[in-house]
Amino acid sequence: MLTVVNADGSTPNSSLIDEIVHEGARRMLAAALEAEVNSYIAELADVRDGDGRRLVVCNGYHQPRMVAKAAGTVEVRAPRVNDKRVGDTTGERKRFSSAILPPWCRKFPQISEVLPLLYLHGLSSGDFVPVLEQFLGSSAGLSPATVTRLTAQWQADHTAFMDRELSARDYVYVWADDVHLRIRLEEAQAAVLVLMGVRADGTKELIAMTGGSTESSEAWAGLLWDCARRDMRAPVLAVGDGVLGFWDALSEVFHDTRHQGCWVHKTAKVLDALPKSAQPAAKPAIQKIYSAEDKEHAARAVRDFERTYEAKYPKVVKRITDDEDELLAFFDFPAEPWIHLRTTNPIESTFATVRLRTKVTRGAGSRAAGLAMVFKLIESAQARWRAVNAPHLVALVRTRARFKRGQLVEREERAA
């Protein structure tokens, strides 16, 4: 390979090292294809016709084609095989098919995998060709239509996901929340209901998601009944915000599951109901409740909050006292995952990626496309979810083991 090299080590098209890597990749791929064909022909060297002529022989080369790979685009000229054998049962000609370079392959699987990720994380479909051409050296196999076809596949993936069996999965904790999407073809925003859970080994996983109204108990009940139909076991604890629709549906479908209100949403609603002058003092008083060392100290902090604000703001105080049992439920579980169980932050953090993508695209074109996009975004984010703290204790929670002050009670105290 002869290449004109500039004084700074670059070539007219790229750097010298890029040229070396590119040429090395081309030669290695060509050698691998040659070796694959030679091995195929050698195995069938004894297969001959009635005149003693070999039925499988090399037959020149295919037309050159550009194939996009992770390190750039390389020209491939694959050897051709003339296979004259005929199947005994089918009567059809047998064909050689390369396991290294499949027919019609224009880009490597890694490129196909990165296209939806780039699209989901903000790259417009119209920017694919100019942007990726800078990295791959060619736009072969890349076009906006590629991404357009992906949305149909995403919808099919979501349908298959919502039809899968849940009997083999045991979700001990679940979080429920919603994300609102702007649909370009409609005036009103569309809501996507999302259910996320923690399995017995402590890992987090998306359970189900569908479109519907966040305030509607029918929509949430439909989602939960669908999970129950697919043999989902009732979780031990469910975490959600103050949306009444979800709690009503949960009590209807999984009536043994305990409720845990989100302290982030509760704090925001309480502070919004107070005058601005009272908010700086009220916020640490609320934080003292859910940050208490155990349930007893949290209950005392609730009484302190009640005594301080009952006279002037009785309705605000009732926002906490009326929901005290649900707000302090997480104290009856292991102390290590308290930080996960007292808010819906584990699921809210994932929604940030969804809002970024829908902001870039100025909303989804339809509800079906928006639902498919959210599904793929959450599926992509799921790979980065970490297990809850002390995952080994999750299985004990499923057995209804008792915890006091966040610690496992191995032996009940006997009264004297």
Side-chain angles (χ1 to χ4, degrees):
M1 177 184 67
L2 298 178
T3 304
V4 178
V5 182
N6 300 324
D8 59 356
S10 63
T11 63
N13 297 323
S14 60
S15 67
L16 178 59
I17 190 171
D18 285 338
E19 292 285 349
I20 295 174
V21 171
H22 177 83
E23 180 63 18
R26 188 193 65 78
R27 291 186 179 185
M28 289 180 65
L29 182 57
L33 292 172
E34 290 279 359
E36 183 185 34
V37 168
N38 291 337
S39 175
Y40 180 82
I41 294 175
E43 289 180 3
L44 303 171
D46 296 333
V47 181
R48 301 174 181 269
D49 60 14
D51 297 330
R53 289 176 296 189
R54 296 172 61 174
L55 292 178
V56 183
V57 295
C58 187
N59 190 27
Y61 292 87
H62 293 285
Q63 290 293 324
R65 51 176 156 153
M66 305 300 292
V67 179
K69 55 183 179 56
T73 305
V74 62
E75 184 181 83
V76 176
R77 197 161 181 251
R80 282 193 312 188
V81 175
N82 185 5
D83 194 338
K84 301 177 183 178
R85 295 176 301 156
V86 178
D88 297 333
T89 56
T90 62
E92 297 180 356
R93 285 277 300 272
K94 295 188 177 182
R95 295 181 179 275
F96 166 75
S97 180
S98 174
I100 298 176
L101 188 67
W104 317 112
C105 175
R106 293 288 178 176
K107 54 182 176 290
F108 279 34
Q110 292 88 341
I111 302 299
S112 298
E113 291 172 5
V114 80
L115 289 180
L117 292 177
L118 291 175
Y119 175 71
L120 289 171
H121 291 288
L123 189 64
S124 167
S125 59
D127 295 331
F128 269 65
V129 173
V131 171
L132 294 182
E133 192 170 7
Q134 299 297 318
F135 291 96
L136 305 179
S138 171
S139 60
L142 306 172
S143 69
T146 303
V147 181
T148 303
R149 289 192 297 269
L150 285 173
T151 56
Q153 181 60 48
W154 294 344
Q155 293 178 24
D157 292 344
H158 177 243
T159 301
F161 176 79
M162 291 298 291
D163 288 338
R164 79 197 193 287
E165 282 289 325
L166 297 177
S167 57
R169 289 169 164 79
D170 183 12
Y171 300 108
V172 180
Y173 306 124
V174 298
W175 291 270
D177 209 339
D178 60 85
V179 60
H180 292 268
L181 301 178
R182 180 176 175 271
I183 305 300
R184 280 174 282 173
L185 304 180
E186 302 176 17
E187 293 184 3
Q189 287 189 334
V192 180
L193 312 183
V194 181
L195 199 64
M196 169 182 160
V198 175
R199 300 178 64 174
D201 61 357
T203 57
K204 299 174 187 172
E205 186 175 275
L206 175 65
I207 303 174
M209 57 166 288
T210 187
S213 172
T214 58
E215 302 291 340
S216 169
S217 59
E218 289 79 8
W220 280 110
L223 179 64
L224 294 176
W225 276 120
D226 180 68
C227 292
R229 176 187 59 81
R230 293 182 282 138
D231 296 327
M232 174 180 165
R233 190 176 179 184
V236 178
L237 180 71
V239 187
D241 60 13
V243 177
L244 296 178
F246 171 69
W247 298 122
D248 293 342
L250 184 68
S251 299
E252 175 187 345
V253 182
F254 299 122
H255 49 81
D256 290 334
T257 300
R258 296 191 61 182
H259 300 185
Q260 171 61 51
C262 173
W263 272 103
V264 171
H265 288 83
K266 178 61 70 174
T267 302
K269 291 179 179 178
V270 170
L271 294 179
D272 287 344
L274 288 171
K276 288 187 177 180
S277 59
Q279 292 179 9
K283 187 174 182 179
I286 297 173
Q287 291 174 337
K288 184 180 178 181
I289 300 173
Y290 63 79
S291 300
E293 59 182 282
D294 54 41
K295 194 170 187 177
E296 289 74 15
H297 285 82
R300 293 173 195 165
V302 172
R303 304 286 81 79
D304 292 341
F305 183 85
E306 186 177 11
R307 283 190 295 270
T308 303
Y309 296 98
E310 173 70 24
K312 290 186 177 180
Y313 314 107
K315 292 183 178 179
V316 175
V317 172
K318 284 176 67 66
R319 289 175 178 253
I320 290 182
T321 56
D322 287 355
D323 300 332
E324 183 175 348
D325 290 341
E326 294 182 355
L327 290 171
L328 303 185
F330 73 94
F331 282 110
D332 295 331
F333 294 87
E336 291 85 350
W338 282 356
I339 191 172
H340 306 293
L341 301 179
R342 64 193 181 200
T343 72
T344 55
N345 283 350
I347 196 170
E348 279 283 352
S349 60
T350 301
F351 288 162
T353 304
V354 176
R355 295 187 181 98
L356 170 64
R357 177 61 229 170
T358 53
K359 182 179 180 181
V360 171
T361 58
R362 297 181 178 87
S366 67
R367 289 178 179 266
L371 194 61
M373 182 187 297
V374 173
F375 168 66
K376 277 299 177 181
L377 281 168
I378 296 179
E379 186 182 56
S380 174
Q382 185 173 259
R384 300 187 298 274
W385 292 348
R386 68 179 185 88
V388 296
N389 295 340
H392 62 283
L393 296 176
V394 179
L396 291 177
V397 173
R398 167 54 76 190
T399 63
R400 302 290 179 173
R402 185 167 173 263
F403 292 84
K404 188 174 182 179
R405 296 185 177 89
Q407 302 298 318
L408 176 65
V409 177
E410 297 184 7
R411 182 179 300 177
E412 295 289 344
E413 296 179 359
R414 294 183 179 181

